[in-house]
């Protein structure tokens, strides 16, 4: 297979990843690795695709192999740490993985991407208990940034990244409140996270989708609760409300095809 043909397979695999077709993505990366078996980042892509297909044990085995053989590949450490989170490893095992993921970053932009990935995986990965791993991540900032940040910007970078973690703590708090249907608290925490991101000038992360999902869930569950308790509701009014919620959910699903909240469309369609 020519270099151009291998490159086309890689391009197609990346498109599959963007479109959420992880099964096809894995198939393509495996074909690429057959042609380029000594390329570590291509093997990383196979491990990442395995993880996204729910084949966690196989993914971890490959990540471990790559981490030992290529200890300076920061992306391997980053996604291995994300996988350990998904597998539910306890904090004492996660902290060293966090350190490796961050201190192997080559520069501040790469450090920022990896810190963001870890924070997002922690904050959005569970409905409760995210504060401890985020605290652990914050505690290793000075140690890891010393290896990467220019000395004259070290204090500023530590402060900025602490604020980023604070924003993700608000997102974690939002998710806990969301799961408990404490809508006002969830909305407040989400707005606080937005405010912190704006304060630090971090434009790499949007919270528009969670805001829309919060409103959609609040309206849907509120309507269901009214339906079960309010005997004065007229069937036509209920039907129109559910039609409106259905269309709102469909619009959300169209713009965010991977959004778990869009599963409401099944419930609303039934109504």
């Amino acid at each position: 297979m020519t270099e151009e043909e291998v490159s086309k397979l890689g391009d197609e695999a990346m498109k599959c990843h963007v479109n959420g077709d992880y099964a096809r993505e894995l198939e393509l990366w495996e074909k690429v690795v057959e042609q380029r078996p000594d390329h570590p980042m291509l093997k990383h892509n196979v491990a990442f695709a395995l993880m996204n297909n729910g084949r966690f044990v196989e993914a971890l085995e490959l990540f471990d192999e790559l981490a030992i053989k290529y200890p300076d590949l920061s992306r391997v450490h980053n996604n291995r740490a994300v996988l350990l989170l998904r597998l539910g490893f306890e904090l004492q095992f996660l902290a060293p993985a966090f350190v490796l993921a961050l201190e192997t970053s080559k520069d501040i932009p790469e450090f920022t991407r990896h810190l963001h990935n870890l924070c997002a995986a922690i904050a959005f990965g569970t409905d409760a208990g995210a504060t401890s791993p985020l605290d652990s991540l914050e505690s290793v900032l000075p140690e890891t940034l010393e290896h990467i940040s220019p000395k004259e910007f070290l204090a500023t970078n530590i402060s900025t990244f602490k604020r980023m973690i604070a924003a993700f703590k608000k997102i974690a708090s939002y998710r806990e409140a969301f799961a408990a249907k404490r809508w006002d608290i969830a909305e407040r925490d989400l707005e606080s996270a937005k405010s912190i991101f704006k304060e630090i000038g971090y434009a790499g992360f949007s919270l528009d989708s969670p805001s829309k999902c919060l409103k959609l869930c609040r309206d849907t569950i509120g309507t269901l609760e009214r339906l079960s308790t309010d005997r004065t509701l007229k069937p036509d009014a209920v039907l129109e409300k559910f039609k409106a919620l259905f269309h709102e959910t469909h619009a959300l699903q169209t713009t965010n095809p991977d959004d778990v909240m869009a599963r409401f469309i099944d419930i609303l369609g039934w109504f």
Side-chain angles (χ1 to χ4, degrees), residues 37-54:
D38 297 323
H39 197 301
M41 282 311 301
L42 296 177
K43 288 186 176 180
H44 159 273
N45 293 345
V46 170
F48 192 53
L50 284 167
M51 180 173 74
N52 286 329
N53 277 280

Side-chain angles (χ1 to χ4, degrees), residues 213-241:
C213 290
L214 173 62
K215 178 181 181 301
L216 176 63
C217 290
R218 180 170 53 193
D219 289 351
T220 301
I221 293 175
T223 301
L224 288 170
E225 288 175 344
R226 283 192 64 200
L227 185 62
S228 64
T229 58
D230 190 345
R231 295 178 179 273
T232 66
L233 284 177
K234 296 181 179 180
D236 288 347
V238 173
L239 181 60
E240 287 304 313
K241 178 63 176 177

Side-chain angles (χ1 to χ4, degrees), residues 157-203:
N157 284 330
I158 290 174
S159 175
T160 298
F161 288 127
K162 281 186 175 182
R163 293 298 289 156
M164 180 193 288
I165 293 173
F168 277 103
K169 286 180 181 179
K170 288 295 183 182
I171 291 174
S173 179
Y174 145 76
R175 283 182 56 80
E176 289 189 18
F178 187 105
K181 295 190 292 184
R182 299 196 300 269
W183 309 120
D184 291 342
I185 295 174
E187 186 172 18
R188 182 197 67 198
D189 288 335
L190 198 58
E191 289 303 315
S192 294
K194 287 182 182 180
S195 178
I196 296 172
F197 281 131
K198 184 177 179 180
E199 169 199 326
I200 62 177
Y202 187 59

Side-chain angles (χ1 to χ4, degrees), residues 12-266:
E12 187 182 346
M14 287 187 282
K15 288 179 182 177
C16 289
H17 178 80
V18 171
N19 294 329
D21 188 356
Y22 301 128
R24 176 61 177 160
E25 179 196 6
L26 174 59
E27 180 185 333
L28 290 166
W29 283 130
E30 287 178 333
K31 287 182 179 180
V32 171
V33 169
E34 285 177 8
Q35 300 299 316
R36 302 291 183 270
D38 297 323
H39 197 301
M41 282 311 301
L42 296 177
K43 288 186 176 180
H44 159 273
N45 293 345
V46 170
F48 192 53
L50 284 167
M51 180 173 74
N52 286 329
N53 277 280
R55 293 164 62 176
F56 295 151
V57 174
E58 294 168 83
L60 184 58
E61 289 175 352
L62 187 49
F63 277 135
D64 285 346
E65 175 189 322
L66 290 168
I68 293 169
K69 195 170 182 179
Y70 306 98
D72 295 329
L73 282 181
S74 59
R75 194 178 299 179
V76 168
H77 295 297
N78 182 272
N79 287 316
R80 179 178 178 275
V82 171
L83 177 56
L84 292 177
L85 280 166
R86 291 190 184 182
L87 287 168
F89 274 65
E90 294 183 4
L91 192 56
Q92 64 264 33
F93 298 105
L94 293 176
F98 292 160
V99 173
L100 277 172
L102 295 175
E103 72 180 7
T104 53
S105 301
K106 294 180 177 63
D107 51 31
I108 291 298
E110 188 172 64
F111 183 95
T112 303
R113 289 194 300 273
H114 290 171
L115 180 63
H116 171 273
N117 289 342
L118 290 171
C119 286
I122 294 168
F124 286 104
T126 178
D127 289 334
T131 301
S132 291
L134 285 170
D135 285 341
S136 175
L137 202 53
E138 183 176 348
S139 71
V140 304
L141 277 179
E143 174 189 349
T144 53
L145 279 169
E146 280 182 3
H147 302 286
I148 302 158
S149 174
K151 289 184 179 180
E152 62 269 28
F153 299 121
L154 180 59
T156 299
N157 284 330
I158 290 174
S159 175
T160 298
F161 288 127
K162 281 186 175 182
R163 293 298 289 156
M164 180 193 288
I165 293 173
F168 277 103
K169 286 180 181 179
K170 288 295 183 182
I171 291 174
S173 179
Y174 145 76
R175 283 182 56 80
E176 289 189 18
F178 187 105
K181 295 190 292 184
R182 299 196 300 269
W183 309 120
D184 291 342
I185 295 174
E187 186 172 18
R188 182 197 67 198
D189 288 335
L190 198 58
E191 289 303 315
S192 294
K194 287 182 182 180
S195 178
I196 296 172
F197 281 131
K198 184 177 179 180
E199 169 199 326
I200 62 177
Y202 187 59
F205 190 59
S206 172
L207 290 174
D208 289 341
S209 178
S211 295
K212 291 175 182 176
C213 290
L214 173 62
K215 178 181 181 301
L216 176 63
C217 290
R218 180 170 53 193
D219 289 351
T220 301
I221 293 175
T223 301
L224 288 170
E225 288 175 344
R226 283 192 64 200
L227 185 62
S228 64
T229 58
D230 190 345
R231 295 178 179 273
T232 66
L233 284 177
K234 296 181 179 180
D236 288 347
V238 173
L239 181 60
E240 287 304 313
K241 178 63 176 177
F242 275 109
K243 281 182 179 178
L245 289 168
F246 179 87
H247 290 304
E248 187 178 344
T249 306
H250 183 71
L252 183 62
Q253 186 186 45
T254 301
T255 56
N256 299 277
D258 291 332
D259 204 307
V260 68
M261 298 308 171
R263 294 179 186 174
F264 268 120
I265 203 166
D266 294 332

